[in-house]
Amino acid sequence: MEVDRLFSEQQSHKDLITDHSSPQTHQIDLQQIVELIDCIFNIALATKEDDVESEKLKAMMSSLENIDGMREALTDIRHISCEMSCNLVEGTGNLSKTKSTMEQRLRKYSGNGRAVLAIAAFASSIGELSMLGKHCNHSISKFMNAVKGHSLKLDFKALQSSGLIDAMKKVSRTSLDFSNIRRDEFSENIIDNVLQISTTLSKREDIGDDELTTLTRRLIELNDDLREKLVAARKVAPYDYEDERKPILNIRTSELIENIKKYTEDPEKLRNKHVLFLISDLDISIEEIKVLNGLYQKNDNKYEILWVPIVELSVNDKRAEAKFGELKQMMKWIAVKHSKIEAQVIECIKKDWQFIKQAIAVSVKPSGAITSLNALPMLWTWGNSAFPFIATREQALWKERVEQNGWRLHLLFDELDLPNDIDMQSWTKSEGTFVCLFGGGDMSWIQAFTEKVKIAAHAAGVSLKLVYLGVGKSKGKGLTRNEFGRGIHVIESESQWHFWTRLESILYYKIKLGKTVNISRKDPVMQEALKVVGYGGNGKAWAMFSMGTSAMVTTSGKTALSIMENYKKWIKENVGNRFFNGIEEYNELIMRDVHSCINVNLPVMGEIPGIMMCPECSKVMDMFYTYRCCPESLLC
């Protein structure tokens, strides 16, 4: 498709804005430029002349012309617009010349200013075509120098219905929001997108709905990138980019990425690729590497992984060298040697990418745009289906696979590498198969529980599958396969780690969603995941019951044993396919009189600043969120 070809030919940021260190001396009020953009687009998309909007634009222009510095900005917008208009006149577009004009005109503005002015110039060129098409002479002509000879075949209705203009407005407003915290990592990407869109629209006569949709989608993705970065930036202390006493903070995101890439053993492997920058210390777990290896080898070349190990200067060099070599040998992807990473790069990774101790994966598009400051929770939950690791993709996966189905086995086991004796997919399709997941380290409870559940399942005439999943990550790996008798399936090593990490990742998403939506009482997936992580994270016994397409029932070990010990009280009318209904009803009955508060500990993956050193070994300590409903929950 033509749109994809154009975007694949995007050059590096330096091709567009070549001198990041140029003095940024021309300050303007971007809020007023954004309002100007909205007004011009509104006039351009109106089916007939809008007197109200025209008068509004006229008044706005008169006001801006009298503001110091704004007159020069409007002149720059006009010049860029004229160059851009050539791209909207079939056969006369000169992309290289337009880039050169933009470079010269925008050099003196801040990064966010460059982005907003580029969008204003695009709006101007669109507005001019609209004005000439309507054969009217309203006040927009005062803002633009009309160019004779335009071929007026741009489909403004299609532009509006595709959402392209709305997406452009949103990007301009997000750029404005960034200007308030003086961050401009994405400005070059915005400018390049605007220019490529204007070039693509020059094919007015044959541009199709698919191409307009692709253009819109790319803008929406870019805006999602910006909004995620903005939210992350607001959660940490604002940086003073003009403070000469802190030169380290002058490293921009694009420069940080290039600084890391230049030390790789195979930089060509990363060229024009979507890259996951895997940031960790040398304590990254073997299980984590193995799970990520499996996902990486099945990703159909959609992305590359680059390991960036963060090692403190105080760490013993020989031990660090040996540990780095040992871990690197296990990885299927390329790495930066820890000794090559400069101190200022490490500091920026900690501050800008919010690395504390837990491994994170910063997802970066070929264009240099960050799609996520940590794509690992998405990977652990959805595997490679989460690509390109943007919020809209994650939301779509939840809607498609979970919201309609709820708390079911496929959410926890899809794409997990399971032992050959566990066929979770076929088990879930069988209405007569009762699946019981359980965990904990108390062998006396396990023996009592498994004996009782076997008796109850036999009495109901259902096929029973018992699956042991250890205890939570923070409490070790639990019991091994050799400690169980026949008839009990065991999930161990990296698959067990993946199970618990997926549960944590589900909670991360739900907690993040809960910041804007009150889901604490009405989201069964969150409630059930909290139970499992709460029980397992504290080393307690737990169980989950599932049968056919019904949603799972999650209980503490004590409750699960009570249900099975008293099976005769509820099984009479609940044999065969109704066996699970009996468990649900009895569980609801006894839970009315049971107080079962829990603690949930989640490792911090960025976002919360602060580091604590262990007083015994001087290592950086892990940090956790702790959720509890009341003080008594510590004793439950």
Side-chain angles (χ1 to χ4, degrees):
M1 184 182 284
E2 178 67 15
V3 173
D4 291 321
R5 183 188 67 79
L6 283 168
F7 277 92
S8 68
E9 293 175 357
Q10 289 182 7
Q11 298 183 19
S12 69
H13 304 318
K14 293 181 180 179
D15 290 334
L16 187 56
I17 305 295
T18 57
D19 186 2
H20 293 306
S21 61
S22 305
Q24 297 174 358
T25 58
H26 202 76
Q27 300 297 321
I28 57 174
D29 185 349
L30 294 182
Q31 175 69 45
Q32 297 191 65
I33 298 295
V34 169
E35 291 174 0
L36 181 67
I37 290 169
D38 287 349
C39 190
I40 294 174
F41 276 140
N42 290 342
I43 292 174
L45 296 179
T47 55
K48 58 182 180 180
E49 186 173 1
D50 188 328
D51 292 335
V52 174
E53 285 293 326
S54 295
E55 286 302 316
K56 180 180 176 181
L57 179 61
K58 182 178 179 180
M60 194 179 297
M61 290 296 301
S62 297
S63 174
L64 293 178
E65 291 282 0
N66 295 319
I67 297 176
D68 290 343
M70 194 63 78
R71 184 187 298 270
E72 185 177 353
L74 295 177
T75 299
D76 291 331
I77 291 172
R78 290 188 186 101
H79 278 277
I80 296 170
S81 175
C82 286
E83 287 294 337
M84 215 174 269
S85 292
C86 291
N87 286 324
L88 295 173
V89 179
E90 189 173 3
T92 64
N94 188 326
L95 187 60
S96 177
K97 185 171 181 291
T98 305
K99 277 191 174 185
S100 178
T101 297
M102 293 177 77
E103 176 187 344
Q104 295 300 321
R105 290 281 175 179
L106 298 178
R107 188 189 302 272
K108 60 196 169 199
Y109 300 98
S110 68
N112 296 299
R114 292 194 291 266
V116 173
L117 263 62
I119 295 174
F122 175 79
S124 174
S125 62
I126 293 293
E128 181 182 8
L129 280 177
S130 174
M131 177 196 69
L132 294 175
K134 295 170 186 173
H135 301 288
C136 61
N137 186 28
H138 53 55
S139 56
I140 200 169
S141 61
K142 185 176 181 180
F143 178 64
M144 299 173 291
N145 295 320
V147 179
K148 293 182 179 180
H150 276 305
S151 176
L152 306 174
K153 297 178 182 177
L154 190 59
D155 189 343
F156 290 96
K157 288 185 179 180
L159 276 183
Q160 187 170 21
S161 62
S162 69
L164 180 68
I165 300 302
D166 284 340
M168 193 77 79
K169 287 181 181 180
K170 289 178 181 177
V171 171
S172 70
R173 292 198 171 277
T174 303
S175 296
L176 173 64
D177 290 341
F178 261 103
S179 69
N180 294 327
I181 57 173
R182 290 188 282 187
R183 302 284 289 272
D184 57 10
E185 288 92 339
F186 290 81
S187 58
E188 293 89 344
N189 294 325
I190 296 171
I191 297 168
D192 211 27
N193 272 266
V194 170
L195 186 55
Q196 294 291 357
I197 287 170
S198 72
T199 303
T200 304
L201 291 181
S202 68
K203 303 188 311 168
R204 290 175 313 281
E205 291 189 78
D206 60 349
I207 187 167
D209 291 340
D210 288 344
E211 289 179 290
L212 282 175
T213 300
T214 301
L215 291 170
T216 303
R217 174 174 53 80
R218 291 182 183 279
L219 274 181
I220 291 172
E221 289 179 2
L222 177 60
N223 193 61
D224 286 342
D225 297 336
L226 282 161
R227 299 309 305 183
E228 286 190 8
K229 183 69 173 176
L230 181 64
V231 170
R234 284 172 170 167
K235 289 180 180 177
V236 298
Y239 304 146
D240 188 356
Y241 283 87
E242 297 175 358
D243 189 346
E244 293 182 0
R245 294 169 297 175
K246 300 177 183 178
I248 188 171
L249 298 179
N250 285 320
I251 295 182
R252 298 160 56 87
T253 296
S254 57
E255 294 169 345
L256 177 57
I257 291 169
E258 292 306 314
N259 264 325
I260 296 172
K261 284 183 177 180
K262 71 182 180 183
Y263 293 123
T264 64
E265 58 205 42
D266 187 5
E268 283 300 314
K269 195 171 183 180
L270 304 179
R271 189 178 297 277
N272 297 322
K273 293 300 294 290
H274 193 120
V275 180
L276 290 181
F277 288 82
L278 178 62
I279 316 293
S280 79
D281 59 17
L282 296 180
D283 291 327
I284 184 173
S285 71
I286 293 174
E287 290 82 7
E288 189 161 6
I289 294 172
K290 287 182 177 180
V291 173
L292 197 51
N293 272 339
L295 292 169
Y296 173 69
Q297 291 177 302
K298 298 175 184 177
N299 89 78
D300 296 328
N301 206 32
K302 292 177 181 176
Y303 60 84
E304 286 295 334
I305 298 178
L306 174 63
W307 182 38
V308 184
I310 304 300
V311 179
E312 301 298 332
L313 296 177
S314 59
V315 174
N316 182 284
D317 289 341
K318 290 184 179 179
R319 290 183 181 177
E321 186 78 22
K323 189 64 179 292
F324 170 80
E326 176 186 335
L327 294 173
K328 177 63 187 73
Q329 189 70 25
M330 298 174 59
M331 296 175 177
K332 304 297 183 182
W333 50 82
I334 60 177
V336 177
K337 194 167 185 179
H338 63 283
S339 57
K340 291 184 177 181
I341 304 174
E342 300 168 356
Q344 62 175 352
V345 172
I346 292 176
E347 193 65 24
C348 279
I349 287 174
K350 289 180 177 180
K351 292 184 180 294
D352 287 356
W353 290 357
Q354 302 168 34
F355 171 72
I356 298 175
K357 178 172 174 59
Q358 292 289 324
I360 62 173
V362 180
S363 171
V364 180
K365 290 181 179 180
S367 64
I370 293 179
T371 69
S372 173
L373 280 175
N374 188 11
L376 287 182
M378 279 187 268
L379 263 176
W380 303 145
T381 305
W382 304 113
N384 292 319
S385 298
F387 181 84
F389 313 115
I390 58 177
T392 50
R393 178 58 181 160
E394 185 175 26
Q395 292 163 7
L397 286 168
W398 274 98
K399 185 175 182 179
E400 171 191 337
R401 302 188 185 183
V402 179
E403 290 180 6
Q404 295 179 353
N405 299 315
W407 181 244
R408 288 174 173 78
L409 285 173
H410 70 86
L411 174 62
L412 302 181
F413 291 100
D414 278 1
E415 296 193 48
L416 250 67
D417 188 11
L418 299 174
N420 293 331
D421 61 337
I422 298 178
D423 189 356
M424 204 66 71
Q425 188 171 10
S426 67
W427 294 353
T428 56
K429 291 179 180 179
S430 172
E431 292 295 333
T433 298
F434 177 61
V435 180
C436 175
L437 312 177
F438 67 98
D442 184 349
M443 181 54 83
S444 61
W445 175 87
I446 291 173
Q447 289 174 340
F449 172 70
T450 54
E451 178 185 351
K452 296 298 182 181
V453 76
K454 287 177 182 178
I455 293 172
H458 178 74
V462 297
S463 172
L464 172 65
K465 303 295 181 182
L466 284 164
V467 182
Y468 178 74
L469 280 150
V471 295
K473 283 165 55 180
S474 62
K475 295 294 181 179
K477 300 177 182 179
L479 305 173
T480 65
R481 185 184 301 272
N482 294 333
E483 296 176 83
F484 290 94
R486 296 178 61 184
I488 297 179
H489 306 274
V490 180
I491 296 178
E492 297 181 285
S493 60
E494 65 268 20
S495 297
Q496 187 182 118
W497 178 93
H498 194 177
F499 170 82
W500 288 104
T501 305
R502 177 174 286 186
L503 279 168
E504 291 177 349
S505 299
I506 289 169
L507 287 178
Y508 275 117
Y509 175 78
K510 292 294 183 178
I511 292 167
K512 181 173 64 175
L513 183 64
K515 291 178 181 178
T516 55
V517 180
N518 182 14
I519 61 172
S520 58
R521 290 180 175 269
K522 59 184 179 182
D523 190 314
V525 171
M526 182 174 184
Q527 292 300 301
E528 300 303 294
L530 276 170
K531 290 179 187 178
V532 186
V533 175
Y535 299 141
N538 290 290
K540 297 179 180 179
W542 58 273
M544 284 194 291
F545 306 118
S546 175
M547 194 166 179
T549 58
S550 299
M552 293 183 289
V553 170
T554 309
T555 73
S556 67
K558 181 179 179 180
T559 301
L561 182 57
S562 177
I563 291 172
M564 295 304 163
E565 283 180 332
N566 296 291
Y567 78 94
K568 291 182 180 179
K569 294 181 179 180
W570 52 266
I571 201 172
K572 186 176 180 181
E573 297 179 357
N574 294 294
V575 296
N577 291 350
R578 285 194 51 81
F579 180 65
F580 186 74
N581 299 88
I583 292 175
E584 286 182 304
E585 293 167 2
Y586 192 71
N587 178 60
E588 290 178 6
L589 178 65
I590 63 176
M591 286 302 293
R592 296 171 188 170
D593 301 318
V594 176
H595 180 75
S596 56
C597 294
I598 59 174
N599 297 322
V600 176
N601 296 313
L602 296 177
V604 175
M605 296 185 184
E607 296 189 3
I608 303 298
I611 293 176
M612 185 73 72
M613 306 298 292
C614 175
E616 295 293 335
C617 66
S618 298
K619 286 186 177 181
V620 176
M621 298 177 69
D622 286 329
M623 296 195 302
F624 295 87
Y625 298 103
T626 297
Y627 297 90
R628 71 183 190 192
C629 63
C630 57
E632 289 78 9
S633 66
L634 292 173
L635 304 175
C636 293

